[in-house]
Amino acid sequence: MDILVVGGGGREHAVIKALKKSTRAGKIYALPGNGGIAADAECVPVKATDIAGIVEFARSRRVDFAVVTPDDPLVLGCVDALEAAGVPCFGPNKDAAIIEGSKVFSKNLMKKYSIPTAASETFTDPAAAVEYLRTASYPTVIKADGLALGKGAVIVNSFDEARRTVQEMMVDKVFGASGERILVEEFLTGPEVSVLSFTDGRTVVPMVSSMDHKRAKDGDEGLNTGGMGTVAPNPYYTPEIADVCMEKIFLPTIRAMNAEGRTFKGCLYFGLMLTKDGPKVIEYNCRFGDPETQVVLPLLRSDLLEIMLAVRGGCLNADMVRFSSGAACCVVLASDGYPKKYATGYPITLPAVGAHEDIYIAGAKLEGGQLVTSGGRVLGAVATADTLKEAISRAYALADKIHFENAYMRRDIGTRALKALNAN
Ligand code: AMP
Ligand code: GLY
């Protein structure tokens, strides 16, 4: 089967490498891919948001299957357009992708179907939002309704900060139309867990849990980023908690989407917080997480393409999805300065990759055959092992063998997870 993968980050590199292992995989195209993905797929310079261009390419090459990974094409209806053109897809249609595309939609869904989440109020008028925030308790959380490159949730510690955030989102429109509506949300505390799941709209099969490290600096300090590293499994996510999540969150969400006429097929990502009152949903994503995918897929023992075809065909069952009992760690190497200003264009030296190791390229391009940095998050160094401790030490050993001039990485990916594991 010839397969088209829409996207061009580290997550897509991990998806492509997993698909390549399938006995049924033929040629793999990445639109647009990147300089590192080019080693594993044919990269075609069509932007992930150029829906017409993607459809035209898929038809002209008669691809057999498409995997749409990033949020924007999903929310824009890329799957609907490809399916209408006769190309079977893995990924939710536009009606279902709204679960990530609109935080107001997902919050209303959770309220209507009693799915545990933070209490919140929705505002379309900045003055009303400011009035409400005047008497709110702090910290509180302000979220832009629409997609905002992962930067749409702001934790504010005072009324002054809250007022400034409302001004930026609703009046200055720093996130464009995404900030026309906002949510003001109760601040929750507890360990965070990412659970990616496969669902065909009937059956939901959670993948191994994971833990993201969103802040730029060690000790969870500094600015929020797209993710500086991940580990899997997440030690806070015990089998007992997993059972509660299945019963109170995963199945109710799938049923709620069906009841709304928005059947979700694809990878549904549950961003959870384990509060003292039980697990609550912080966010839904309509796609694989990045960099969660880089630790989850290396632990998958089953054939990813077969699973994706079953999801599309509505015949998914839990036996098809098997994970190894080991652990994985991904350390992201970024350009120093990320997520603010950073320089790019530096040559990257990659070591030979051993068994149980991999390097997923996110922000790099080829210049005359040489891989050079081109983005904030440049790549992820990944290792799997029997234990989390070993996976972390191997991922760092691999990361230390990768060189480019302004490389920056956190040194504490997995430290908190190890502590939690030892405390259990
Ligand atoms: P989101 O963009 O919704 O994923 O939020 C980004 C990050 O903000 C999350 O990973 C949490 O760390 C934090 N966050 C979001 N909502 C809340 C909340 N209600 N309480 C506490 N932290 C939150
Ligand atoms: N790692 C968080 C996300 O993919 O949104």
Side-chain angles (χ1 to χ4, degrees):
M1 292 186 106
D2 290 350
I3 308 165
L4 177 164
V5 176
V6 176
R11 165 185 59 197
E12 284 74 14
H13 201 184
V15 167
I16 286 167
K17 285 210 180 190
L19 286 172
K20 268 180 80 173
K21 290 191 205 151
S22 172
T23 47
R24 288 173 72 187
K27 210 166 164 39
I28 302 185
Y29 301 100
L31 277 63
N34 66 44
I37 291 176
D40 295 289
E42 183 177 327
C43 296
V44 184
V46 175
K47 276 203 205 136
T49 47
D50 177 4
I51 309 296
I54 292 166
V55 171
E56 191 191 312
F57 178 85
R59 286 172 83 153
S60 71
R61 297 298 170 97
R62 297 170 191 270
V63 304
D64 301 295
F65 194 58
V67 178
V68 183
T69 354
D71 50 3
D72 347 58
L74 289 166
V75 170
L76 287 169
C78 189
V79 166
D80 311 58
L82 283 165
E83 291 272 357
V87 184
C89 290
F90 176 86
N93 63 18
K94 186 176 177 173
D95 283 349
I98 193 174
I99 199 165
E100 175 170 2
S102 168
K103 288 188 193 288
V104 173
F105 168 85
S106 58
K107 189 59 84 172
N108 289 340
L109 186 86
M110 289 185 271
K111 279 186 185 160
K112 183 169 169 187
Y113 294 93
S114 306
I115 297 165
T117 185
S120 74
E121 296 287 334
T122 302
F123 296 95
T124 47
D125 171 28
V130 169
E131 236 1 82
Y132 175 83
L133 284 159
R134 200 180 290 283
T135 54
S137 60
Y138 290 92
T140 197
V141 187
I142 303 182
K143 294 185 175 180
D145 176 38
L147 297 181
L149 301 168
K151 298 189 180 115
V154 182
I155 296 167
V156 289
N157 289 301
S158 65
F159 173 57
D160 255 9
E161 265 183 59
R163 190 163 46 184
R164 233 177 304 132
T165 302
V166 170
Q167 170 76 24
E168 284 170 11
M169 282 187 186
M170 302 188 87
V171 184
D172 306 341
K173 296 201 164 54
V174 291
F175 303 124
S178 287
E180 280 169 8
R181 286 195 292 184
I182 61 160
L183 286 172
V184 176
E185 195 169 285
E186 169 198 13
F187 178 76
L188 301 176
T189 52
E192 284 187 60
V193 184
S194 306
V195 181
L196 284 56
S197 69
F198 292 111
T199 178
D200 60 357
R202 203 172 41 92
T203 304
V204 56
V205 187
M207 299 178 221
V208 62
S209 62
S210 52
M211 180 191 285
D212 194 2
H213 298 67
K214 286 199 168 122
R215 301 292 200 95
K217 307 269 181 218
D218 285 15
D220 293 324
E221 310 250 348
L223 294 171
N224 246 323
T225 71
M228 295 301 294
T230 34
V231 293
N234 185 322
Y236 290 105
Y237 192 69
T238 61
E240 296 72 39
I241 292 174
D243 286 345
V244 172
C245 290
M246 180 55 93
E247 189 198 331
K248 298 245 160 67
I249 295 174
F250 305 160
L251 286 170
T253 301
I254 301 304
R255 291 188 195 121
M257 291 298 276
N258 287 335
E260 295 294 311
R262 296 176 183 273
T263 295
F264 190 104
K265 287 183 171 199
C267 173
L268 182 54
Y269 168 129
F270 298 90
L272 307 171
M273 196 172 269
L274 308 181
T275 74
K276 62 175 180 5
D277 302 321
K280 295 192 179 182
V281 177
I282 289 282
E283 63 165 346
Y284 292 114
N285 290 326
C286 65
R287 51 171 176 84
F288 285 98
D290 189 345
E292 284 91 340
T293 306
Q294 289 89 315
V295 285
V296 169
L297 290 184
L299 294 172
L300 180 68
R301 288 283 158 267
S302 317
D303 183 318
L304 179 62
L305 181 56
E306 296 295 345
I307 297 170
M308 288 181 159
L309 290 168
V311 165
R312 160 65 170 66
C315 52
L316 178 69
N317 73 65
D319 294 338
M320 290 174 166
V321 185
R322 290 267 173 258
F323 282 88
S324 101
S325 58
C329 175
C330 170
V331 177
V332 169
L333 269 73
S335 304
D336 194 23
Y338 169 78
K340 288 193 146 170
K341 255 175 85 95
Y342 52 84
T344 59
Y346 297 116
I348 305 169
T349 321
L350 297 176
V353 168
H356 312 296
E357 294 176 357
D358 223 330
I359 296 170
Y360 299 122
I361 307 291
K365 59 183 181 185
L366 284 170
E367 265 180 17
Q370 168 68 50
L371 201 57
V372 301
T373 63
S374 67
R377 287 188 299 168
V378 175
L379 55 84
V382 176
T384 57
D386 289 341
T387 64
L388 183 60
K389 189 161 182 246
E390 187 66 22
I392 294 167
S393 99
R394 286 194 191 171
Y396 272 108
L398 178 63
D400 283 329
K401 286 189 261 174
I402 299 169
H403 300 289
F404 53 91
E405 187 154 328
N406 60 343
Y408 167 78
M409 67 180 119
R410 272 180 65 163
R411 280 282 162 194
D412 65 342
I413 302 302
T415 304
R416 203 154 29 90
L418 268 186
K419 267 196 201 137
L421 201 59
N422 294 334
N424 277 346

